[in-house]
């Protein structure tokens, strides 16, 4: 292994286990920084635009964010514990069944949360700008948590590895813990550097999708009890399922770049369709 791009630091812990950390390329670090900026900067910019340009309520943003945390990060995760841990369903044992389950769970929990929030929690001020602001909050907090905070964590680890601080930290750990940490960190130097830019693009696609889906649910709620309302709600659930299924199952069949382009096209198409269907008379 070329010493010019590898830190040949070995640690002898209990059991004589050896570990090696590779340096992280500048391109990979730039990719993480770019993804963090996009994941955190775009939601903030959209929030400001929604407030200033559309005069939407700040509360709509936080209801969107809170609904995501409640339905996707809490309730959906509780179901995952039950299904994945207790019933043994995972991507290794029954991959396609797992892909269907994961996409269906995300669609059901997130769209149901969106429907409840708009029908009950935003009932008094639900209009186009606030439905859009809800979508910014929903997609924005997801981007900040998944792309922003995790990206910052990766960036700190990368800088620690390149500076030698990580080696010193690992040397103080028991062999088993140190090897587990190295195994987790290995993705930082085994992942092709250009892929670190993909995370930010993925978050942008997700924000666009959540805004589009929020406008579809908005139309369904505004339509009341009729076939149009039912059709539009089912359409939102269906689109969410299809996009998530493509995203989780795609890597088994297609290059990651093809998947990300496909997700972006579907997200943009959803938003364009929702804008045409749901704008109504507000703007």
């Amino acid at each position: 292994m070329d010493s010019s791009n590898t830190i040949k630091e070995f640690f002898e812990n209990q059991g004589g286990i050896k570990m090696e950390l590779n340096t992280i390329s500048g391109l990979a670090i730039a990719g993480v920084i770019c993804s963090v900026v996009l994941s955190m900067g775009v939601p903030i910019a959209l929030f400001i635009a929604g407030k200033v340009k559309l005069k939407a309520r700040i509360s709509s943003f936080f209801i969107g964010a809170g609904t995501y945390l409640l339905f996707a990060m809490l309730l959906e995760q509780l179901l995952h514990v039950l299904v994945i841990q207790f019933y043994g369903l995972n991507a290794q044992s029954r991959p396609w069944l797992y892909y269907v389950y994961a996409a269906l769970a995300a669609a059901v929990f997130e769209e149901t949360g969106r429907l409840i929030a708009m029908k009950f929690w935003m009932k008094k001020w639900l209009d186009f700008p606030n439905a859009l602001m809800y979508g910014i909050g929903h997609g924005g907090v997801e981007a900040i948590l998944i792309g922003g905070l995790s990206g910052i964590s990766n960036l700190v680890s990368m800088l620690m590895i390149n500076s030698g601080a990580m080696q010193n930290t690992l040397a103080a750990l028991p062999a088993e813990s140190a090897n587990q940490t190295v195994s987790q960190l290995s993705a930082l130097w085994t992942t092709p550097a250009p892929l670190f830019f993909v995370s930010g693009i993925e978050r942008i696609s997700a924000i666009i999708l959540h805004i589009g889906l929020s406008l579809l649910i908005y139309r369904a709620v505004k339509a009341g009890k009729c076939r149009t309302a039912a059709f539009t709600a089912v359409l939102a659930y269906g689109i969410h399922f299809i996009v998530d299924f493509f995203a989780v199952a795609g890597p088994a069949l297609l290059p990651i770049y093809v998947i990300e382009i496909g997700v972006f096209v579907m997200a943009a198409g959803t938003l364009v369709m929702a804008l045409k269907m749901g704008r109504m008379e507000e703007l």
Side-chain angles (χ1 to χ4, degrees):
M1 195 171 292
D2 189 351
S3 60
S4 65
N5 62 6
T6 303
I7 300 175
K8 293 189 174 181
E9 292 282 352
F10 294 89
F11 303 98
E12 297 279 348
N13 292 330
Q14 305 102 296
I17 298 175
K18 293 182 177 180
M19 298 162 293
E20 185 177 358
L21 295 176
N22 290 12
T23 54
I24 312 298
S25 71
L27 183 61
I29 293 175
V32 172
I33 293 173
C34 178
S35 292
V36 169
V37 171
L38 288 174
S39 297
M40 303 190 80
V42 170
I44 294 172
L46 290 175
F47 169 78
I48 294 172
K51 176 60 180 173
V52 175
K53 297 293 185 180
L54 299 180
K55 309 301 181 184
R57 289 171 173 255
I58 294 176
S59 58
S60 297
F61 176 92
F62 287 105
I63 289 175
T67 302
Y68 169 78
L69 294 175
L70 174 60
F71 282 84
M73 299 301 290
L74 178 59
L75 299 179
E76 184 183 342
Q77 299 311 311
L78 290 175
L79 178 65
H80 291 338
V81 170
L82 178 65
V83 172
I84 297 174
Q85 293 190 12
F86 287 93
Y87 288 94
L89 178 63
N90 56 61
Q92 289 70 44
S93 62
R94 288 170 286 179
W96 291 101
L97 180 59
Y98 172 79
Y99 298 149
V100 170
Y101 158 74
L104 185 61
V108 169
F109 277 94
E110 292 187 52
E111 296 314 309
T112 300
R114 215 185 306 265
L115 190 61
I116 291 173
M118 291 190 184
K119 191 172 181 61
F120 299 104
W121 303 337
M122 298 173 60
K123 182 178 181 179
K124 294 182 178 180
W125 67 84
L126 182 61
D127 56 15
F128 179 87
N130 282 292
L132 193 147
M133 184 67 107
Y134 174 98
I136 295 171
H138 187 130
V141 73
E142 182 184 62
I144 291 170
L145 292 176
I146 296 177
L149 298 184
S150 64
I152 291 173
S153 176
N154 286 338
L155 180 61
V156 170
S157 295
M158 286 175 162
L159 297 177
M160 287 182 67
I161 290 171
N162 283 3
S163 69
M166 185 64 74
Q167 290 87 327
N168 296 331
T169 300
L170 291 173
L173 297 177
E176 183 178 356
S177 297
N179 280 326
Q180 288 177 352
T181 302
V182 171
S183 178
Q184 294 169 354
L185 292 173
S186 64
L188 297 179
W189 60 81
T190 58
T191 300
L195 288 183
F196 286 103
F197 290 89
V198 171
S199 176
I201 298 172
E202 183 181 67
R203 290 304 98 208
I204 299 303
S205 297
I207 292 173
I208 292 172
L209 178 66
H210 284 304
I211 292 174
L213 292 173
S214 296
L215 293 178
L216 286 178
I217 293 297
Y218 155 69
R219 172 171 167 75
V221 172
K222 280 294 190 180
K225 296 180 180 180
C226 64
R227 291 183 179 180
T228 300
F231 170 78
T232 308
V234 170
L235 182 63
Y237 279 86
I239 290 174
H240 198 145
F241 170 78
I242 291 170
V243 174
D244 274 24
F245 180 79
F246 180 74
V248 297
L253 303 171
L254 300 168
I256 187 64
Y257 302 104
V258 174
I259 296 167
E260 294 304 329
I261 292 173
V263 169
F264 179 82
V265 169
M266 287 188 283
T270 300
L271 178 58
V272 171
M273 177 180 63
L275 286 171
K276 291 182 178 180
M277 292 176 63
R279 188 175 178 110
M280 302 174 75
E281 75 278 0
E282 281 83 353
L283 288 179

